Amino acid sequence: MRKNNIKFGLVLLMFLGLLLIMVPKMLDQTVHEWAGLIIAAIFIIHIIFNWNWIKAVTVNFLHKQALRNRIKYILNLLIFAGFAATVVSGMFISKTIDFSWLGIARGHGVGWKLLHESASYLTFLLVSIHTGLSFNWVIGRLQAGFGQLRAVQNMEFKNKLIRIILIVSILLGGAYSFNYLSFISKANPARIVEAVQLFDQTGSAFQQGFRGPGPGSVTPSFGGQRGPGGRPGGHSGRENSGFNSFGKLLALLGVFASTITGTYVIDQFMRNKKVLE
């Protein structure tokens, strides 16, 4: 029981931290960068707490393993890769923390920035899907911790119509949030591939962002476009004209809630049909 409470606390801290650093303008640059490192450390601790499950699924990945567990396992690997890409790219574009002792020289090439943004959005989406697959466990932890709260005790609504209205409302709100943030285009894995193409021939650093267009240079189609005012980046006009940080935070919550809801509904349907067994 205590271990589960610690695991839930780590998940909650990781989510709240990830949510805040997804809105850099809400935090001081130094706080943003240190928070990213702290969240990465929490994620590693989270892996340690779930090591027995990881080891068991790894050993039996191809044998005697439910398809659902395999999907969660692959999802965890992708989340780990996403966190790694976000942290490493963040080190290269860091403005306040010196990572020269790791042999990392500061740089502000569009490649690193493109990789950092794309990996962070994609990781946020993967974490949301993972939460949806583990939603029953999350509700169980809430009920264990706040058993006296009627709202938590009755999370499973009995009235089918109310459940349908609630689910549709969350999904519609999520659709608006996805569009408001241009989330799909920012989380597009093709942007990560494009960022990799911006590496030097030596692979030492992204230098094309310093040189600008020229012979042999790569012009990014997703992240290096010129926005209003001539500023580089794949941001929408809303962001360039002063994107509301609180509005972005609410939109991210909308993305999170709708992704969890959609994943949970699909997961429950698959379980009832015993597709993922």
Side-chain angles (χ1 to χ4, degrees):
M1 180 66 71
R2 183 179 178 183
K3 184 177 180 180
N4 279 332
N5 289 337
I6 294 175
K7 284 167 62 176
F8 181 72
L10 290 173
V11 170
L12 187 61
L13 283 174
M14 191 162 52
F15 164 68
L16 292 176
L18 186 61
L19 186 65
L20 286 176
I21 65 173
M22 288 290 290
V23 191
K25 291 183 180 179
M26 291 193 70
L27 302 173
D28 177 77
Q29 183 65 30
T30 303
V31 175
H32 173 79
E33 293 178 9
W34 278 108
L37 295 177
I38 292 172
I39 292 170
I42 293 175
F43 179 68
I44 292 174
I45 296 172
H46 177 68
I47 291 176
I48 294 173
F49 268 92
N50 291 277
W51 186 249
N52 288 335
W53 180 88
I54 294 172
K55 184 170 64 175
V57 177
T58 301
V59 172
N60 300 297
F61 187 79
L62 299 177
H63 308 283
K64 301 177 182 179
Q65 197 61 242
L67 177 59
R68 189 173 183 276
N69 281 342
R70 292 174 184 170
I71 292 174
K72 289 181 69 175
Y73 183 84
I74 294 172
L75 192 61
N76 280 326
L77 287 179
L78 292 174
I79 291 173
F80 178 80
F83 267 115
T86 303
V87 171
V88 171
S89 58
M91 289 179 176
F92 275 94
I93 63 174
S94 172
K95 295 179 181 179
T96 64
I97 305 176
D98 184 11
F99 292 102
S100 59
W101 57 279
L102 289 174
I104 297 177
R106 286 180 180 174
H108 304 284
V110 292
W112 286 119
K113 292 179 180 178
L114 178 59
L115 178 61
H116 188 69
E117 180 186 61
S118 302
S120 61
Y121 272 82
L122 188 56
T123 302
F124 185 85
L125 183 62
L126 293 172
V127 168
S128 302
I129 295 173
H130 182 275
T131 306
L133 289 175
S134 306
F135 195 63
N136 285 328
W137 179 83
V138 173
I139 294 302
R141 289 299 91 212
L142 287 173
Q143 289 176 333
F146 304 97
Q148 301 303 315
L149 297 180
R150 182 179 299 176
V152 177
Q153 289 177 324
N154 298 313
M155 286 295 287
E156 187 175 343
F157 297 95
K158 302 301 180 182
N159 190 302
K160 186 176 180 180
L161 179 61
I162 293 178
R163 282 187 291 171
I164 292 175
I165 292 174
L166 181 62
I167 290 172
V168 171
S169 299
I170 293 174
L171 294 179
L172 287 176
Y176 175 81
S177 297
F178 270 95
N179 178 67
Y180 184 66
L181 295 168
S182 300
F183 196 97
I184 297 299
S185 64
K186 291 177 181 177
N188 189 343
R191 299 179 87 218
I192 296 178
V193 174
E194 184 176 10
V196 173
Q197 292 175 345
L198 292 174
F199 267 118
D200 260 358
Q201 293 299 319
T202 59
S204 58
F206 289 112
Q207 296 295 333
Q208 283 81 359
F210 295 104
R211 289 200 295 264
S217 65
V218 179
T219 303
S221 58
F222 288 97
Q225 297 152 320
R226 292 281 170 178
R231 285 180 289 184
H235 306 292
S236 66
R238 281 179 299 226
E239 275 184 290
N240 287 331
S241 61
F243 197 99
N244 185 286
S245 295
F246 185 69
K248 183 174 181 179
L249 185 66
L250 289 178
L252 285 168
L253 283 172
V255 168
F256 186 70
S258 61
T259 303
I260 288 177
T261 301
T263 302
Y264 179 73
V265 169
I266 294 172
D267 183 46
Q268 291 301 109
F269 175 80
M270 293 296 187
R271 279 187 165 187
N272 291 335
K273 297 296 181 180
K274 297 184 178 180
V275 176
L276 300 180
E277 299 301 323

